[in-house]
Amino acid sequence: MNLFRFNMQNAIRAGLGVMIVFMFSYLFGSATFINWGLIFLCFCYFYFAAKKYVCVNDIDKVGYVFVIAFLCWVSFEYVRAFLYSEGYWMWKNVINSLLGMSIFVVVFLAVSPLWLQGIYKIFYKNYLWLIGLAIIFTQAHNPNVLNYLPYSTLFLFWKYIPLKKRLLLLAIVMLFFVTQEQRNDVLKMLMAGFIGLIITYYAKIIPHWFIKLAHALLLLLPIVFVVTGYLGLFNPFKMDDYIKGDMTREVKNDSGDYYEDNLKADTRTFIYTNVSYTMDLYDAWIMGRSPAYGDEGPIGIASDIDNDTHLRGRYGNEVQIMNILLWYGVIGCVLYFLMYAWASFLAIYRSRSSIMKGIGIYVAFLWMWSFIWEITKFEVFFMMNIAFLGVCYSKKYRVMTDKDFKQWVLGIFYKNKKTFIV
């Protein structure tokens, strides 16, 4: 077996390689240049396998244009970043960000049902040693540092997962759920589970107009809330204004230390404030500042100069849409929206199965979630989010019926099942 051949099987293994990159950097503290090399190797497997095995005719033409336009705009911004960068830390940030953005090649690879099925299969087979590594090598002996999103998104296909496999899947995800302190991960897991259960038990009785309404709300409400927050009418992040009662809890960090966490704490308004201030300061609303710079707002650490990097502000934030705005401007935000809006539209309006409609709602949810959390990283969490864009754009997935999806899902768990029917 030649591991350096750019075939589909090695592209599937490279999906596990994305997790290995994280393991090397987090568990073993590997050097930056080693991580860069591993990321580049994974990218090569993804890119050349997609180029060889994915037919452009299998991809929706409009969706293809949106993705290419977004990537071209991002590439242009990185050219600007290379021109602006100076000093070790600025160059390191730019290269890290550029390698993180390379994960978007997965959009094209995920058009193939074979690849995504293989990703689920390889993670499902390797969950024991991945969990074991986390428990043994992390300081807090906590499995939550190795993300289990490939397993939690399997909830979207809950309807066709065999009973024994359901119980095992539920046990894996529950282990993650009870040890995880990150609201981002927990809420995405809950959303995938909620959609999966709705598809399984209520798909036949939910009217199509209700699905369309949910889709529209998920796409438009974040924009509405940004406007109401900016005008001072309603800020959804100030939960103390509309949720009463104490919601603090004692949690343990990765080092094993306990601290008090307030679930209603507003940890996002200052990010919006700082990024808006920076956009105004440099008149960068349209084109952004490029990935060479961070935000320099007046609140918190964004107003200080870092002692190590000697740069002012934060290089990136926990809110995806604010990073898109900061680095790629309003143009980048519009293109980012179009990718998610059109992908979810295709899944809901141009597909034959209830599974695809559920995936469309999940993709629209990911767009909404980008206003609250999420950042582009070369990691499994974000890889799976990007993969569902490819699923929505794929003509092969959208012509699949529920019967076809059942065969595809069974192929994840059993060797003797066909990969897919179409």
Side-chain angles (χ1 to χ4, degrees):
M1 179 177 63
N2 187 348
L3 292 177
F4 293 97
R5 293 176 61 188
F6 296 111
N7 56 31
M8 184 59 80
Q9 281 303 116
N10 282 343
I12 291 169
R13 295 186 186 100
L16 184 61
V18 175
M19 175 69 84
I20 293 173
V21 172
F22 178 81
M23 287 163 47
F24 267 85
S25 61
Y26 188 92
L27 299 184
F28 309 120
S30 57
T32 299
F33 73 89
I34 293 178
N35 296 334
W36 287 354
L38 292 172
I39 291 173
F40 183 72
L41 187 61
C42 291
F43 166 77
C44 287
Y45 280 122
F46 288 153
Y47 175 78
F48 287 107
K51 190 174 181 181
K52 183 176 181 180
Y53 291 100
V54 177
C55 178
V56 175
N57 291 332
D58 292 336
I59 308 173
D60 176 78
K61 292 181 180 179
V62 176
Y64 182 80
V65 169
F66 286 156
V67 176
I68 291 298
F70 177 74
L71 293 179
C72 286
W73 181 251
V74 166
S75 300
F76 168 73
E77 291 290 356
Y78 275 101
V79 172
R80 292 178 65 203
F82 295 151
L83 296 175
Y84 299 153
S85 295
E86 53 185 28
Y88 168 78
W89 287 104
M90 189 176 283
W91 274 108
K92 181 179 179 179
N93 287 335
V94 170
I95 293 174
N96 275 331
S97 179
L98 176 60
L99 289 173
M101 289 299 295
S102 67
I103 198 72
F104 272 88
V105 72
V106 168
V107 173
F108 302 109
L109 196 55
V111 169
S112 166
L114 175 63
W115 182 81
L116 186 60
Q117 185 190 59
I119 287 294
Y120 280 125
K121 187 179 296 187
I122 199 168
F123 273 96
Y124 194 79
K125 287 181 178 179
N126 290 281
Y127 71 91
L128 275 177
W129 72 267
L130 290 173
I131 293 173
L133 275 177
I135 294 174
I136 294 169
F137 287 100
T138 56
Q139 186 174 353
H141 305 295
N142 194 334
N144 71 11
V145 297
L146 292 182
N147 49 58
Y148 303 157
L149 190 65
Y151 313 115
S152 65
T153 54
L154 270 173
F155 277 127
L156 294 168
F157 310 101
W158 184 261
K159 182 176 182 179
Y160 299 121
I161 298 176
L163 178 59
K164 291 182 179 179
K165 305 299 182 181
R166 282 183 180 181
L167 295 176
L168 181 56
L169 174 63
L170 193 59
I172 296 171
V173 176
M174 284 304 297
L175 174 64
F176 179 75
F177 189 85
V178 299
T179 58
Q180 180 59 269
E181 308 295 350
Q182 293 291 334
R183 288 169 288 180
N184 174 35
D185 308 332
V186 169
L187 288 170
K188 283 195 296 186
M189 184 190 307
L190 290 173
M191 188 63 178
F194 174 75
I195 293 173
L197 292 175
I198 291 294
I199 293 171
T200 303
Y201 301 109
Y202 302 105
K204 292 183 179 180
I205 64 174
I206 295 178
H208 201 239
W209 66 263
F210 185 83
I211 298 174
K212 293 178 180 179
L213 177 63
H215 176 235
L217 290 175
L218 287 169
L219 291 179
L220 299 177
L221 274 182
I223 302 171
V224 172
F225 284 149
V226 167
V227 174
T228 59
Y230 180 79
L231 296 176
L233 301 175
F234 175 72
N235 182 349
F237 298 126
K238 295 188 178 298
M239 289 182 280
D240 274 328
D241 293 344
Y242 55 91
I243 299 178
K244 305 302 179 185
D246 181 37
M247 296 186 66
T248 58
R249 59 175 181 167
E250 192 176 62
V251 296
K252 184 167 63 173
N253 60 24
D254 293 341
S255 301
D257 300 321
Y258 286 90
Y259 66 96
E260 287 230 333
D261 181 35
N262 183 4
L263 296 178
K264 295 193 297 180
D266 180 4
T267 60
R268 293 296 176 263
T269 298
F270 88 95
I271 294 175
Y272 280 78
T273 302
N274 284 340
V275 171
S276 298
Y277 174 90
T278 307
M279 296 292 97
D280 284 334
L281 183 65
Y282 293 96
D283 193 21
W285 286 98
I286 303 300
M287 296 180 61
R289 296 199 70 200
S290 89
Y293 300 102
D295 66 74
E296 301 180 10
I299 301 175
I301 60 175
S303 61
D304 301 325
I305 296 179
D306 189 278
N307 292 329
D308 294 324
T309 65
H310 304 293
L311 299 175
R312 185 181 296 278
R314 309 173 84 201
Y315 186 83
N317 295 286
E318 298 87 345
V319 179
Q320 172 77 337
I321 200 67
M322 286 295 99
N323 289 336
I324 299 291
L325 177 62
L326 178 66
W327 294 331
Y328 315 121
V330 170
I331 294 176
C333 289
V334 170
L335 292 174
Y336 193 75
F337 168 76
L338 290 174
M339 285 196 303
Y340 280 85
W342 186 248
S344 56
F345 173 85
L346 289 174
I348 292 170
Y349 290 83
R350 305 281 176 83
S351 67
R352 302 173 62 191
S353 69
S354 59
I355 295 289
M356 279 303 299
K357 289 173 175 54
I359 290 174
I361 292 295
Y362 187 73
V363 167
F365 163 77
L366 292 175
W367 156 256
M368 183 205 72
W369 199 243
S370 71
F371 284 75
I372 302 171
W373 221 302
E374 204 68 272
I375 52 177
T376 301
K377 281 186 176 181
F378 203 91
E379 65 175 16
V380 178
F381 267 0
F382 200 76
M383 180 182 77
M384 297 306 292
N385 292 350
I386 294 301
F388 282 114
L389 285 177
V391 170
C392 295
Y393 290 141
S394 171
K395 294 179 182 179
K396 287 186 175 180
Y397 278 108
R398 287 186 285 110
V399 299
M400 287 169 67
T401 63
D402 283 339
K403 182 179 178 181
D404 296 329
F405 261 108
K406 181 178 181 179
Q407 195 71 31
W408 182 86
V409 171
L410 291 176
I412 295 171
F413 302 100
Y414 301 115
K415 290 183 179 179
N416 59 341
K417 295 294 181 182
K418 293 180 180 179
T419 302
F420 54 93
I421 294 175
V422 294

